[in-house]
Amino acid sequence: MMNKPVAAPSRTGEILKKYDLKAKKGYGQNFLIDVSIVQKIAASSHCEGAVIEIGPGIGSLTEQLALRSRHVRSYEVDERLLAVLDDTLSEYSNVEIILQDILQADLEQSVRELKETYGSVSVCANLPYYITTPVLFRLFECAEPVEWITVMVQKEVADRFAAGPGSPDYGALSVESAYLYDVKKLFQVPRTCFSPAPNVDSAVIQFRRKTVDTEGTGQFFELVRACFAQRRKTLYNNLKAYAPEGTGINAVLAEAGIDPGIRAQNMTLEQFRALYTVWRKMI
Ligand code: SAM
């Protein structure tokens, strides 16, 4: 590498100046300006085969992925960044930039194609925070599963994804991600590591796919959301509001071995699974 890394504050400053680039708030543009952080994210991402990046920005994380991966496919929505990336990543022949909103991309096709060519595909990104949940759910629900997802998100969101039963952060998000993935919060990143600095602190979170039968995942998620519809209500009352008229909720709960007075925030993943198994059979 002839230049300083893109994430070095002086190099980022030069790039932004050269292209007269002002970060667009609407696109969640907060560029990482800490070399050790981008290196740490890339190194933990299991990107050896192919890696999909969401939002390369000016290429700080992309560069670190390119150094470790056989192929980097990055989706960027802001067309102003194409010329910048062409410049900052000119040393790397294994980077492909796609100008497209990630929410419009055919992820299933992309993952399948990359798996066929490179053997494995992971996802790694410093996510634009305004679309964190929809992006992650598109990945979770992708028919071609991604084994490792390593993303920087708002710290509070990381806490919600990684929370366990009994925690105030535990909710439908936590149960749904735990159903499909082992979830681990890797490390926190202070706001001073970004330019411009966001109003919140961040954390890197990692999802590792579990071996799970995904048949009925959509219905399972719907049931979990219904259980959490009103956090202060008991499971029985939330289910009563959700179930078709005349459903014998007590019979369902007895069959699943669950106390009707429990609240969803105290239920384990195994209890949600047991509930769903009986629900599917009896409703
Ligand atoms: N990866 C860079 C870094 O770490 O410095 C930039 C991260 S910045 C938080 C988020 C990036 O996502 C920006 O480059 C932004 O333009 C891009 N972005 C925002 N919305 C997007 C979308 N819907 N699809 C693809 N990229 C998007």
Side-chain angles (χ1 to χ4, degrees):
M1 200 193 296
M2 277 149 49
N3 287 308
K4 275 190 185 173
V6 176
S10 60
R11 176 96 193 279
T12 295
E14 281 163 23
I15 296 164
L16 296 180
K17 193 164 168 217
K18 178 172 173 190
Y19 290 93
D20 191 22
L21 205 61
K22 306 265 180 301
K24 274 195 184 166
K25 245 188 166 174
Y27 282 152
Q29 289 178 350
N30 300 98
F31 304 120
L32 271 166
I33 48 161
D34 187 308
V35 178
S36 65
I37 296 283
V38 281
Q39 286 173 337
K40 209 163 142 187
I41 299 172
S44 57
S45 71
H46 299 265
C47 64
E48 304 74 22
V51 58
I52 293 178
E53 188 195 16
I54 298 145
I58 61 170
S60 47
L61 178 59
T62 326
E63 174 181 60
Q64 297 302 324
L65 293 170
L67 289 166
R68 293 165 174 81
S69 176
R70 287 181 64 203
H71 188 83
V72 185
R73 177 173 287 174
S74 292
Y75 290 89
E76 176 55 65
V77 77
D78 183 355
E79 64 178 328
R80 299 176 310 157
L81 296 171
L82 289 188
V84 183
L85 290 163
D86 216 32
D87 177 2
T88 58
L89 301 172
S90 60
E91 287 176 47
Y92 308 96
S93 56
N94 57 341
V95 178
E96 174 193 4
I97 307 289
I98 298 181
L99 180 65
Q100 190 176 24
D101 177 344
I102 189 66
L103 297 176
Q104 305 299 325
D106 185 344
L107 280 176
E108 189 181 326
Q109 163 71 13
S110 192
V111 172
R112 184 175 307 122
E113 186 188 296
L114 290 170
K115 262 188 198 170
E116 272 166 23
T117 314
Y118 299 98
S120 68
V121 185
S122 60
V123 167
C124 183
N126 169 16
L127 284 177
Y129 293 171
Y130 75 106
I131 49 168
T132 300
T133 310
V135 168
L136 287 174
F137 274 88
R138 286 214 57 214
L139 287 166
F140 292 171
E141 286 162 5
C142 183
E144 196 64 52
V146 176
E147 189 177 357
W148 293 96
I149 302 172
T150 309
V151 284
M152 172 104 74
V153 300
Q154 199 177 318
K155 184 188 156 294
E156 286 69 23
V157 177
D159 290 339
R160 283 166 56 207
F161 273 109
S167 150
D169 292 320
Y170 186 61
L173 267 189
S174 336
V175 178
E176 289 165 9
S177 51
Y179 181 68
L180 297 171
Y181 288 88
D182 284 316
V183 186
K184 208 162 135 190
K185 214 169 117 183
L186 297 187
F187 52 91
Q188 285 186 209
V189 180
R191 60 192 81 184
T192 48
C193 295
F194 300 83
S195 171
N199 298 326
V200 292
D201 288 321
S202 301
V204 176
I205 188 164
Q206 188 166 64
F207 301 86
R208 183 184 190 172
R209 187 82 177 191
K210 290 178 177 172
T211 310
V212 53
D213 175 10
T214 52
E215 166 95 34
T217 302
Q219 290 100 302
F220 174 73
F221 285 5
E222 196 184 301
L223 178 64
V224 170
R225 283 169 206 177
C227 296
F228 279 100
Q230 300 223 31
R231 286 181 77 87
R232 282 165 39 174
K233 283 196 174 174
T234 60
L235 177 65
Y236 176 89
N237 282 328
N238 275 323
L239 287 177
K240 198 161 171 357
Y242 171 66
E245 192 71 28
T247 303
I249 310 273
N250 276 322
V252 170
L253 292 174
E255 170 91 12
I258 299 171
D259 170 4
I262 198 171
R263 288 182 172 73
Q265 59 263 35
N266 293 315
M267 284 172 65
T268 62
L269 176 62
E270 288 60 40
Q271 286 177 310
F272 281 107
R273 276 181 191 282
L275 173 62
Y276 177 63
T277 305
V278 178
W279 193 266
R280 206 164 45 169
K281 240 179 19 198
M282 293 178 65
I283 307 296

